[in-house]
Amino acid sequence: MLHRAYRPLLSLAPEGWPLALLLAALGLYAAVAGAWAITALAAAGWLGCLWFFHDGERQTPCRPRGVLAPVDGVVVHRRECHDPVLGREAIRLTLRVRCGAAYALRSPIEGEVAALPPSERGQPISRIRTDEGEDVLLVVRRGFLGPRPLGVAYGERVGQGRRCGFRRLAWEFDLLLPAGSRVEVENGARVRAGESVLATLVRRASEPA
């Protein structure tokens, strides 16, 4: 399970270590050979690698029904909409990843990663179902990440604010929340992954207290 096994080393995501070590080795070899231009390029690439793949710790707030930001970013859009994936009314929040954002994706809520409808499988969408049966979708809107934003198999659980994937080259995400959720951010708000509360899932009248 990725959200349990993934631990950054020296605040660097695991995906970044092979490239960082390769650039360090290249720079060292070039320095020994006296190829200072290559050494400088390797050093610049190494620093860029540390910057792109960095992933520090976060303080997750205690909000049992809160929806947390999955990435460091800016809220660029919020509106009610029709969810074409699950065929329901929903609230869409669009987050644009900030320059220098942490590399990890964090789960917005606690729950189980559920399967998508057959027509949507293979799309860059992750579906998380809470213990109360509410669905939150994390969708890659722009950029490349892979078939599922959250690197967790169907049926596995994720914890609220826990690392559970990598943003890779994706730079804009949608969160689709159940209609009636109480949104707590405005357009233009800067948010931090695993710390900023975006919305609260409102308990339905049919749910037990």
Side-chain angles (χ1 to χ4, degrees), residues 17-39:
W17 274 105
L19 181 57
L21 293 174
L22 178 62
L23 289 169
L26 176 62
L28 181 60
Y29 178 81
V32 171
W36 301 114
I38 296 177
T39 301

Side-chain angles (χ1 to χ4, degrees), residues 135-152:
D135 288 303
V136 171
L137 298 182
L138 177 62
V139 184
V140 177
R141 182 178 177 88
R142 294 181 181 176
F144 174 77
L145 190 150
R148 291 200 303 266
L150 301 186
V152 181

Side-chain angles (χ1 to χ4, degrees), residues 3-86:
H3 65 291
R4 287 182 180 174
Y6 169 26
R7 294 290 185 273
L9 179 61
L10 301 178
S11 297
L12 189 68
E15 285 198 336
W17 274 105
L19 181 57
L21 293 174
L22 178 62
L23 289 169
L26 176 62
L28 181 60
Y29 178 81
V32 171
W36 301 114
I38 296 177
T39 301
L41 288 174
W46 183 76
L47 291 173
C49 180
L50 296 185
W51 173 77
F52 184 77
F53 290 102
H54 79 276
D55 183 24
E57 295 295 332
R58 299 295 167 90
Q59 298 297 319
T60 300
C62 183
R63 291 288 295 271
R65 298 178 67 84
V67 180
L68 305 184
V71 293
D72 295 343
V74 178
V75 179
V76 296
H77 193 66
R78 49 168 284 183
R79 69 179 178 88
E80 296 180 352
C81 68
H82 176 74
D83 177 358
V85 178
L86 299 180

Side-chain angles (χ1 to χ4, degrees), residues 131-200:
D131 294 336
E132 292 79 20
E134 297 163 316
D135 288 303
V136 171
L137 298 182
L138 177 62
V139 184
V140 177
R141 182 178 177 88
R142 294 181 181 176
F144 174 77
L145 190 150
R148 291 200 303 266
L150 301 186
V152 181
Y154 296 146
E156 299 284 5
R157 289 189 65 83
V158 291
Q160 183 189 48
R162 294 288 188 88
R163 299 182 184 93
C164 51
F166 306 111
R167 60 179 175 82
R168 298 194 174 103
L169 299 180
W171 56 277
E172 198 166 278
F173 292 84
D174 280 341
L175 273 174
L176 292 173
L177 313 178
S181 299
R182 186 171 67 248
V183 178
E184 301 183 23
V185 289
E186 301 291 338
N187 286 342
R190 294 170 65 91
V191 297
R192 282 172 57 84
E195 289 188 349
S196 300
V197 178
L198 303 179
T200 299

